[in-house]
Amino acid sequence: MIGSLGGVTDAQASAKPFYLSTPIYYVNDVPHIGHAYTTVAGDVLTRWHRQRGEAAWFLTGTDEHGEKVLRSAQANGVSPQEWADRLVEESWRPVWKSLDIANDDFIRTTEPRHIQRVQTFISRLHDLGDVYEGSYEGPYCVDCEEFKVPGELLDGEGEFAGALLCPIHHRPVEMLAEQNYFFRMSAFADRLLAHYEAHPEFVQPESARNEVLSFVRQGLQDLSISRSTFDWGIPIPWDSKHVLYVWVDALLNYITALGYGSDDPAEVATFEAVWPADVHLVGKDILRFHAVIWPAMLLAAGLPLPRTVFAHGWLLVGGEKMSKSKLTGIAPSQITDHFGSDAFRYYFLRAIQFGQDGSFSWEDMGARYTSELANGLGNLAARVTAMTERYFGGVLPAATDAGPAEQVVADVADRIVTAADAAVLALDFSTGLATIWELVGALNGYLSEQQPWKVAKAIDDDPAARARVATILYTAAEGLRVLAVVLNPVTPRAAANLWVALGAQPALGALAGQPLTEAGRWGQLPPGVTVTKGESLFPRLDDAEPA
Ligand code: MSP
């Protein structure tokens, strides 16, 4: 599968690509905007690294085994494989396409490549003595696919009176009593604690790190890693009456997709070149799986640990995690059909501090769309390109009269590129976008002060007025060039349209090839290029909410 690691130069070819993963999503149901939030954040971050000129590898996929998927297939009267195939092809792949997700690979846990490599991994742990046979008795939440600790459960009320409830799903847990295989996870607690200590960046943000530290400091129990009461899973290679616990199966996707355990040496070489992951992006609901179980599994197998597990917050509805099981899921298409994919990508990363919970509201989405995208950026681009067409026949003039006001704009451009870069690399997307919008604001303020439409009244008679209008329009267009480059990872459609409208290609080459770190260097857009008004980047919309 590995083909294009981007337009890598020779110097970068030897560097390890930036490797980012999303969780692989359960195919028990269709995607909602909570899932899309994670994948969009991952896409923006990998595109950002690519725009910096780095090689990057972005993985997403689907988690298809386990009881949760099995039960939804049964409820719909089809086999689990048919159910998974249908959801992947009709819902999951299309939703990523509609959001312009540029993943390099898409792994499904029912693919032979995954199944074979998972069996290789688990046999290795068995051979090393870290897997043993035992019996499990205790509560299990099928919605979480998780063995629960009795102390964390809630007492049911109303229709669930007398039952113990999962604290996340507020639905009764099931009591299991099974002969299972166990992973000797307890043996890794000290090594995990030492790793957290030595690598403060391993679990982020700080709140997530604290949660993991206090959990592991209490000591770890061994983990049941097989189930024997149903067969929708990967058979345990040495005992096919058992299937592997779905979370162990799923976590391994991050290495099986790269080629770990493959028979093909070229794929193993890819694994060695790309692993470890730089960022595993996850929602905070699945933090412990990624920051405790997963590194313990890797330690047992003698593999390097990922650099960072970053847990973002939840999209809330009525104060609770948006979820399909609670019927609060909003389909991404409800938003993209009305506002477009760029607006979706922009809005969630701008409006919610990454790492914290946030509530979605149509009012806020509509308000930000109008003020920041349509009136802020879209109107700016429309005014600058239209005036260049009107006063200079669409030929970008030179800034022959640049003075202090122009220097201020150039300085803002330079500063925001560096500051936005630092923020986004630290996964602080909202600060990154707010910083970029300082340039949008500076350019709009500059135009309001300079009033080129007024100066232009004397353009035919007064060479000084002509030079002034030329300078203003060049300055604004050059500012828009900077915006096109830094926004390409975030709003790729609008950035591409802007690049065309500015006539930047062919003069400067493809937008994807503009190094982000140099975007703030002033004066790159050459005078003489053809500027066209083109279509509106973010058309004004009448209603905030779809009819
Ligand atoms: N299949 C597991 C993950 C296995 S990864 C080895 C799983 N799947 S899931 O379909 O339930 O998706 C969970 C992820 O979707 C969350 O971790 C988060 O990234 C995203 N979200 C699901 N609901 C969400 C919200 N309401 N808000 C934000 N993100 C949400 O767990």
Side-chain angles (χ1 to χ4, degrees):
M1 277 300 293
I2 300 225
S4 61
L5 283 175
V8 213
T9 63
D10 285 347
Q12 290 156 343
S14 57
K16 187 188 114 44
F18 174 80
Y19 174 30
L20 182 141
S21 67
T22 73
I24 50 171
Y25 302 99
Y26 287 126
V27 290
N28 63 311
D29 215 331
V30 297
H32 60 62
I33 61 175
H35 306 115
Y37 177 55
T38 315
T39 305
V40 161
D43 189 63
V44 168
L45 189 59
T46 35
R47 283 180 187 254
W48 191 274
H49 279 267
R50 288 200 182 100
Q51 196 76 44
R52 300 178 96 256
E54 298 169 32
W57 193 253
F58 180 30
L59 177 69
T60 192
T62 43
D63 190 353
E64 306 188 2
H65 291 130
E67 262 182 309
K68 175 165 161 143
V69 172
L70 176 63
R71 287 185 190 177
S72 57
Q74 285 166 342
N76 286 277
V78 290
S79 74
Q81 188 66 61
E82 280 173 275
W83 178 247
D85 290 348
R86 186 193 296 176
L87 274 153
V88 168
E89 295 311 324
E90 293 176 7
S91 301
W92 288 89
R93 286 192 199 271
V95 85
W96 301 145
K97 193 160 185 286
S98 77
L99 286 161
D100 298 314
I101 303 300
N103 52 303
D104 296 281
D105 197 355
F106 186 102
I107 185 146
R108 301 182 53 184
T109 55
T110 53
E111 285 176 70
R113 62 170 173 159
H114 177 72
I115 293 171
Q116 175 253 313
R117 296 169 195 182
V118 164
Q119 289 183 321
T120 300
F121 180 96
I122 207 65
S123 294
R124 180 165 162 75
L125 257 52
H126 188 232
D127 294 347
L128 289 167
D130 284 322
V131 170
Y132 64 91
E133 206 170 353
S135 61
Y136 178 83
E137 235 184 289
Y140 189 87
C141 170
V142 176
D143 285 309
C144 295
E145 292 281 17
E146 186 174 13
F147 302 94
K148 295 284 179 182
V149 185
E152 65 181 309
L153 303 177
L154 307 175
D155 288 321
E157 290 171 8
E159 61 169 322
F160 298 134
L164 290 169
L165 309 186
C166 163
I168 295 178
H169 292 94
H170 298 265
R171 297 217 285 209
V173 293
E174 297 176 21
M175 294 310 283
L176 302 187
E178 289 182 15
Q179 275 303 110
N180 289 342
Y181 286 96
F182 283 75
F183 166 46
R184 213 179 292 284
M185 193 160 73
S186 57
F188 294 91
D190 290 343
R191 286 169 66 187
L192 286 174
L193 287 169
H195 189 79
Y196 305 144
E197 194 65 40
H199 299 277
E201 75 288 359
F202 180 68
V203 187
Q204 294 184 51
E206 196 60 24
S207 53
R209 174 176 153 81
N210 290 338
E211 183 200 316
V212 168
L213 277 176
S214 63
F215 177 73
V216 179
R217 278 186 186 135
Q218 292 165 20
L220 292 178
Q221 302 203 327
D222 290 349
L223 177 72
S224 168
I225 58 156
S226 75
R227 299 291 310 275
S228 51
T229 50
F230 62 93
D231 65 0
W232 180 236
I234 299 181
I236 294 285
W238 62 88
D239 185 349
S240 58
K241 290 188 301 300
H242 293 252
V243 292
L244 190 62
Y245 171 41
V246 62
W247 265 101
V248 172
D249 166 350
L251 287 162
L252 286 165
N253 92 87
Y254 302 130
I255 60 173
T256 62
L258 296 180
Y260 168 88
S262 168
D263 299 331
D264 180 346
E267 290 186 314
V268 175
T270 301
F271 167 68
E272 279 162 7
V274 180
W275 185 256
D278 292 272
V279 181
H280 287 313
L281 212 54
V282 299
K284 66 181 186 182
D285 46 334
I286 57 173
L287 173 63
R288 283 187 202 169
F289 295 99
H290 285 82
V292 181
I293 299 178
W294 177 228
M297 287 165 60
L298 290 166
L299 286 173
L303 293 170
L305 303 191
R307 195 174 63 82
T308 293
V309 174
F310 195 104
H312 66 67
W314 286 338
L315 299 190
L316 305 174
V317 173
E320 283 198 49
K321 177 175 177 246
M322 171 182 301
S323 88
K324 266 293 197 185
S325 60
K326 283 188 239 141
L327 303 176
T328 51
I330 299 173
S333 61
Q334 286 181 260
I335 294 174
T336 53
D337 287 352
H338 188 65
F339 293 103
S341 61
D342 276 355
F344 186 109
R345 297 167 61 96
Y346 171 79
Y347 173 74
F348 287 97
L349 296 180
R350 174 67 189 89
I352 302 168
Q353 176 69 44
F354 206 61
Q356 290 172 16
D357 294 346
S359 297
F360 171 76
S361 85
W362 289 104
E363 293 71 24
D364 190 45
M365 169 102 219
R368 281 196 188 268
Y369 179 90
T370 300
S371 71
E372 292 159 24
L373 296 176
N375 294 346
L377 177 60
N379 187 38
L380 171 69
R383 287 199 291 167
V384 173
T385 51
M387 283 190 279
T388 309
E389 282 188 339
R390 185 169 335 132
Y391 304 134
F392 294 94
V395 179
L396 184 70
T400 51
D401 186 35
E406 286 68 38
Q407 190 59 48
V408 169
V409 174
D411 290 345
V412 172
D414 189 38
R415 176 177 60 77
I416 67 105
V417 170
T418 310
D421 189 34
V424 173
L425 293 183
L427 284 84
D428 183 355
F429 299 105
S430 55
T431 299
L433 288 170
T435 305
I436 293 171
W437 252 255
E438 286 178 31
L439 179 56
V440 174
L443 290 167
N444 276 317
Y446 171 75
L447 287 183
S448 313
E449 277 166 25
Q450 301 296 324
Q451 303 193 313
W453 50 90
K454 280 203 179 149
V455 187
K457 289 189 176 138
I459 201 168
D460 291 330
D461 319 314
D462 177 2
R466 191 171 186 80
R468 196 67 218 128
V469 179
T471 300
I472 299 166
L473 291 180
Y474 179 85
T475 303
E478 173 63 0
L480 286 167
R481 186 224 19 108
V482 177
L483 288 171
V485 177
V486 293
L487 286 175
N488 194 32
V490 187
T491 55
R493 284 173 189 253
N497 289 341
L498 188 52
W499 200 244
V500 170
L502 292 172
Q505 203 167 348
L508 294 179
L511 178 55
Q514 310 297 309
L516 189 141
T517 44
E518 284 171 41
R521 191 163 39 77
W522 197 253
Q524 296 182 38
L525 197 59
V529 296
T530 306
V531 174
T532 40
K533 183 157 183 282
E535 277 173 42
S536 173
L537 298 185
F538 295 100
R540 287 207 180 83
L541 299 170
D542 296 334
D543 326 302
E545 198 168 341

